[in-house]
Amino acid sequence: MSTRFSTTTKAVPTGLVLTLAGELDSATAPAAHEAIQQLALRDGDQLVVDLSGLTFCDSSGIAALIAARSHAGRTGSSIALAAVPRHLSKVFGLLGLTDLFVVHPTAELAQQAPAAEH
Amino acid sequence: MCEADATGGGGGGDEDGVGALFSALLEDSAEDLYENAPCGYLSTLMDGTIAKVNGTLLGWLGAGRDELVGRRRFSDLLTVGGRMYYETHIGPMLTMHGEAGGLALELKAADGSRLPVLVTSRVKKGEDGAAQLIRITIFDARDRRAYERELLRARQVSEAERDRARELASTLQRTLLPPSLMPVPGMEVAAYYHPASVDEVGGDFYDLFPLTGDSWGFFLGDVSGKGAEAAVVTSLARYTLRSAAVYNPEPVKVLDNLNTVLHQQYRGGDTRFCTVVYGSLVPDATGCAITLVSGGHPPAVVVRAGGVTEFLHTPGGMLVGAIPDAKFTEVTAHLGPGDTLLLYSDGLTEARPVGASRERYSEEELLDFLAASAATGASEVITALTALLTGFGDGVEDDTALLALSIPLPGSGDS
Amino acid sequence: MDVTTRNNVTVLGRADGPAVVLAHGFGCDQNLWRLIVPALAERYRVVLFDHIGSGRSDASAWSAERYSTLDGYAEDVLEICSALDLRDVVLVGHSVSAMIAVLAANSEPDRFAKLVLLTPSPCYVDDGDYRGGFSRDDIDELLESLDSNYLGWSATMAPVIMGNPDRPELGGELTDSFCRTDPVIARVFARATFLSDNRADLPKVAVPTLVIQTAQDAIASQEVGRFVHEQIAGSELVTLDATGHCPQLSAPEATAAAILEFVGAP
């Protein structure tokens, strides 16, 4: 896998924080899907997807985010997006994703309000 | 001196022994090496007449020394094609430059068979600098030629495979797009499809078709991903949209139905979705009324007769097929004479116009471009955008579909 | 485009002498004339050029349409003569350029004073009683030979060509392009050269003509040389005691002498 995309998973008291950084496109999306499938979510957890380092995201990346949403739903977890970059928030709005995901300015702020997402 | 001699002689005794052994081998092999070398040797006079030839070459040719020496020229040993090549290329080269190497030629053997060889020639000059004779070394190139033929054959096979794959891709692509748009009475319609790759089927689609009464349905969409899997979704989306429109022509319902079908189809792990603009149009006394619904697709553009451009925003319309209860919003517009409605896919608005560092082309830039182009009517708008895309060159990374509908100005002659 | 650049035209010798244009044949370039140019330049204004695709010509001027027949090459010769405003030209054509010269002279007879056809052949392929010396299969085989050699040709020859300390008379910048030929162009030129039939053009030649052949020529036999001589009314035939298809290389003195005698003093 090239260095232009990376995933990091971190356990926090409220659940997990998945950080996607770099360019998320058809070439790197499999790595994102892999990371999502590995997430050990438990009932009642909150999954925060931190996008602060995401420089590019095409339809393959959108599909990965939707897969993360489905994965969270299956495990009884909630999902929130954090730090959606300005260039992506416009596209997310266009695609109607803002109705599918709770969005927070930062991952830290997301962890402070998990209850509202259930 | 004596001692030194004695020592030298003693020391030299062993060396002489080994030296003599080598010397005997060498002396023995000097002529033998020439005669039985693993390559053919040939010397000719400057006019090509054979003066000397080794046993290896005679063996290859199946000829006797007497048949060749003083009687035949080097070019007589070649096939006709090789002889002409020798006369027009190699001969002049030897005269002007004194050597010519790495030449692929064929020798004719006495039994009529042909031997592929590699030939290197060099002119030998006397002390006065005058050319005396041509020395020619000939290597058996049967293996190399067979290898080259194999390479050539492999290349031909791979080229044929590539052509076949492209043919399949282009055939499949054609089934996903209407061969030509149906003419809509009182309107001008134009479309363009720009595939990003000749090897892969793209994921964009569009269509225009009659509904009940005098109303028409149309759509333009973009499936996530490309290649065969995306083509399956594209095909499913296209035919679902057409049958859903017949089942219930209300635009929001058409997308609801498509969403249900796509989501059920791909409920498993592999999420497949599309963005699409679906619309219906109903002609009226002054043009036509349009209703548009968007599912996560970039906003349609209206180019007014006076050159003013505007978006038809459909906020909140969701990706189609991603979740079971997606929401779609509706917008209405009216097209009068000279007005054009443009639907496009994001291959256009995500193109990187010049150089990799350049920002992607934006929807706002598209709006400004159309305003500045002064293009009026569906055909002119598509022509202007086709030229724009051509100008982007490799910057267009994704497939791009364009569909335009317009009401002709009075007296413009269009149907 | 400027014709003199396009065809890498070189003008040498006496500025006030008669214009002698030397047209090289298939497979080489104007360097093929190097050994006889000194003798001719003493008395004539010698004009050398490279056919498009050969030597240092501008290959970008090439088009398959114009150069798939010899007429395109003949037009180039006429354009060179016109650009230099040459009159009463002596046109010397070697090998295929002998037929190019015939076409040029038939097209603008007033432009030319004399023609010299060096080892000419109006048709290489046998046809009925006419013996060009080759079958159609032979020609196909030649075209195949060219295909298998051209790629290697430019790659392996270039280093050899760059310097030649043994032959200082060949020194200078011209030698580095010797026999360098664009493979695609060469293939089309080869087809035009070896598949043309210009026998019907010979009787139309209205310019005094000298035919020079060699005693042994694998490409254009003595029989073919005689045929050319017989078909061009009033032409002269000289058979040099030389071998090969390129007497300007194998017998430069005799070749120059024959041309000098035919063209005469300035």
Side-chain angles (χ1 to χ4, degrees):
Chain A
M1 182 50 60
S2 71
T3 53
R4 65 190 180 90
F5 178 73
S6 65
T7 67
T8 318
T9 305
K10 189 173 72 173
V12 295
T14 47
L16 297 174
V17 175
L18 172 65
T19 303
L20 305 179
E23 297 184 20
L24 182 51
D25 56 23
S26 59
T28 56
H33 281 283
E34 177 74 20
I36 289 160
Q37 294 309 315
Q38 300 292 322
L39 293 173
L41 290 168
R42 287 168 307 192
D43 192 17
D45 272 357
Q46 180 207 39
L47 170 63
V48 176
V49 184
D50 185 345
L51 303 179
S52 55
L54 201 61
T55 53
F56 179 77
C57 178
D58 73 357
S59 64
S60 317
I62 304 294
L65 293 179
I66 289 168
R69 185 180 182 273
S70 308
H71 185 68
R74 276 196 298 276
T75 56
S77 312
S78 65
I79 185 166
L81 301 184
V84 178
R86 188 188 300 270
H87 61 98
L88 288 177
S89 61
K90 187 185 148 197
V91 177
F92 283 15
L94 179 70
L95 295 174
L97 292 182
T98 40
D99 293 347
L100 297 184
F101 296 94
V102 176
V103 178
H104 294 284
T106 68
E108 287 71 27
L109 286 171
Q111 290 163 50
Q112 289 167 19
E117 288 144 24
H118 279 285
Chain B
M1 284 285 274
C2 256
E3 252 188 34
D5 271 349
T7 312
D14 288 344
E15 283 174 19
D16 281 350
V18 177
L21 186 62
F22 278 123
S23 171
L25 276 171
L26 287 170
E27 264 180 42
D28 179 52
S29 64
E31 186 58 27
D32 184 55
L33 176 61
Y34 179 84
E35 272 305 313
N36 301 309
C39 61
Y41 284 126
L42 194 66
S43 300
T44 75
L45 305 181
M46 289 310 292
D47 70 356
T49 304
I50 295 169
K52 197 178 177 190
V53 55
N54 78 343
T56 305
L57 184 56
L58 289 173
W60 288 348
L61 294 169
R65 201 176 302 270
D66 297 345
E67 296 170 59
L68 300 185
V69 174
R71 303 167 74 114
R72 306 282 295 277
R73 295 170 201 278
F74 172 62
S75 61
D76 295 336
L77 306 180
L78 303 174
T79 58
V80 176
R83 196 180 310 154
M84 295 171 86
Y85 187 68
Y86 188 91
E87 290 292 334
T88 52
H89 291 74
I90 308 172
M93 196 65 170
L94 284 172
T95 311
M96 303 294 275
H97 291 284
E99 58 184 25
L103 301 158
L105 296 168
E106 285 193 352
L107 297 181
K108 279 186 310 189
D111 63 3
S113 64
R114 290 167 177 225
L115 177 71
V117 290
L118 281 179
V119 175
T120 299
S121 308
R122 181 174 289 178
V123 173
K124 178 184 184 290
K125 298 194 173 94
E127 283 177 5
D128 58 353
Q132 289 180 324
L133 49 84
I134 303 170
R135 285 171 169 161
I136 302 172
T137 311
I138 299 169
F139 291 95
D140 182 344
R142 274 175 299 196
D143 290 347
R144 193 189 95 147
R145 205 66 59 84
Y147 176 62
E148 284 173 351
R149 262 199 298 273
E150 193 53 36
L151 277 182
L152 186 66
R153 203 189 58 79
R155 196 179 72 186
Q156 286 163 344
V157 167
S158 85
E159 281 174 356
E161 284 294 321
R162 190 197 60 199
D163 290 348
R164 208 170 62 86
R166 288 185 175 178
E167 178 66 27
L168 273 173
S170 113
T171 305
L172 183 52
Q173 190 82 70
R174 280 197 300 276
T175 68
L176 300 178
L177 298 171
S180 63
L181 290 174
M182 289 182 72
V184 182
M187 291 194 78
E188 181 184 326
V189 296
Y192 177 71
Y193 193 86
H194 176 92
S197 160
V198 292
D199 298 317
E200 275 195 310
V201 188
D204 291 4
F205 57 93
Y206 62 80
D207 206 352
L208 170 67
F209 50 94
L211 290 169
T212 51
D214 54 359
S215 68
W216 290 68
F218 58 90
F219 56 79
L220 184 146
D222 182 357
V223 166
S224 62
K226 52 179 68 175
E229 287 181 37
V232 171
V233 184
T234 306
S235 183
L236 178 63
R238 182 177 176 218
Y239 290 104
T240 301
L241 282 168
R242 287 197 63 150
S243 38
V246 171
Y247 177 69
N248 184 343
E250 193 189 329
V252 168
K253 294 292 178 212
V254 173
L255 285 201
D256 280 344
N257 277 317
L258 176 64
N259 186 67
T260 303
V261 169
L262 285 185
H263 186 257
Q264 285 177 350
Q265 187 78 21
Y266 293 98
R267 209 165 20 180
D270 186 20
T271 315
R272 288 279 164 183
F273 54 83
C274 68
T275 69
V276 62
V277 171
Y278 177 83
S280 66
L281 68 87
V282 183
D284 59 25
T286 55
C288 73
I290 283 175
T291 306
L292 281 187
V293 177
S294 169
H297 202 81
V301 171
V302 175
V303 184
R304 296 293 176 192
V308 174
T309 54
E310 59 187 280
F311 286 125
L312 292 182
H313 284 293
T314 43
M318 288 184 184
L319 284 170
V320 184
I323 58 164
D325 49 354
K327 297 283 178 291
F328 306 108
T329 43
E330 195 173 273
V331 63
T332 58
H334 186 267
L335 293 187
D339 292 349
T340 304
L341 173 72
L342 171 71
L343 309 185
Y344 56 93
S345 63
D346 62 6
L348 174 60
T349 48
E350 283 188 359
R352 298 176 196 261
V354 227
S357 61
R358 175 72 166 77
E359 287 290 301
R360 287 166 188 271
Y361 199 73
S362 71
E363 283 141 26
E364 287 70 26
E365 282 177 285
L366 172 65
L367 210 59
D368 293 344
F369 171 81
L370 288 171
S373 75
T376 305
S379 301
E380 282 188 24
V381 165
I382 296 295
T383 303
L385 291 174
T386 306
L388 180 72
L389 282 168
T390 307
F392 289 166
D394 292 343
V396 186
E397 296 163 350
D398 201 357
D399 298 84
T400 306
L402 305 170
L403 175 64
L405 311 163
S406 64
I407 308 291
L409 285 165
S412 66
D414 286 313
S415 60
Chain C
M1 176 187 304
D2 178 31
V3 172
T4 57
T5 309
R6 183 189 68 184
N7 285 96
N8 185 29
V9 174
T10 315
V11 183
L12 303 159
R14 282 178 57 168
D16 61 341
V20 175
V21 177
L22 303 178
H24 71 84
F26 170 74
C28 251
D29 59 34
Q30 60 183 275
N31 282 285
L32 211 67
W33 301 108
R34 296 286 282 191
L35 301 184
I36 69 165
V37 161
L40 300 181
E42 277 177 29
R43 291 164 69 177
Y44 311 131
R45 185 180 183 201
V46 178
V47 178
L48 299 161
F49 69 95
D50 294 334
H51 284 302
I52 295 298
S54 302
R56 304 182 129 222
S57 64
D58 183 351
S60 70
W62 186 84
S63 74
E65 194 189 6
R66 179 176 169 101
Y67 295 101
S68 58
T69 67
L70 299 183
D71 298 293
Y73 292 95
E75 278 172 40
D76 283 357
V77 172
L78 293 172
E79 284 170 15
I80 291 165
C81 292
S82 168
L84 299 178
D85 195 25
L86 305 178
R87 292 166 197 285
D88 300 320
V89 175
V90 177
L91 178 55
V92 182
H94 172 230
S95 191
V96 65
S97 279
M99 287 309 116
I100 292 169
V102 163
L103 293 172
N106 287 356
S107 175
E108 280 185 39
D110 294 343
R111 173 78 70 181
F112 300 94
K114 288 176 178 176
L115 286 188
V116 177
L117 310 182
L118 192 58
T119 60
S121 172
C123 179
Y124 292 96
V125 182
D126 295 339
D127 176 31
D129 290 340
Y130 174 79
R131 309 240 50 91
F134 300 94
S135 67
R136 179 60 206 246
D137 288 348
D138 294 336
I139 301 297
D140 288 340
E141 197 175 87
L142 168 70
L143 298 176
E144 212 172 279
S145 271
L146 293 173
D147 277 350
S148 60
N149 271 298
Y150 263 121
L151 287 179
W153 186 255
S154 48
T156 58
M157 288 302 126
V160 181
I161 292 163
M162 292 312 277
N164 195 348
D166 297 346
R167 296 289 292 272
E169 75 273 19
L170 295 175
E173 75 285 358
L174 282 177
T175 52
D176 69 1
S177 68
F178 182 75
C179 285
R180 187 182 297 166
T181 312
D182 181 292
V184 175
I185 297 177
R187 191 161 209 292
V188 176
F189 193 14
R191 296 186 72 81
T193 298
F194 293 105
L195 296 177
S196 287
D197 182 355
N198 296 98
R199 285 175 291 171
D201 296 302
L202 299 177
K204 299 175 193 159
V205 174
V207 176
T209 300
L210 168 68
V211 178
I212 301 178
Q213 62 180 7
T214 71
Q216 290 279 351
D217 184 346
I219 304 269
S221 68
Q222 286 206 39
E223 189 180 342
V224 170
R226 244 188 335 271
F227 177 87
V228 174
H229 164 56
E230 285 162 6
Q231 292 291 308
I232 301 178
S235 65
E236 296 175 30
L237 175 66
V238 169
T239 304
L240 301 177
D241 182 20
T243 57
H245 189 57
C246 306
Q248 69 271 55
L249 292 179
S250 60
E253 294 83 6
T255 305
I259 295 172
L260 286 164
E261 189 185 335
F262 176 68
V263 177

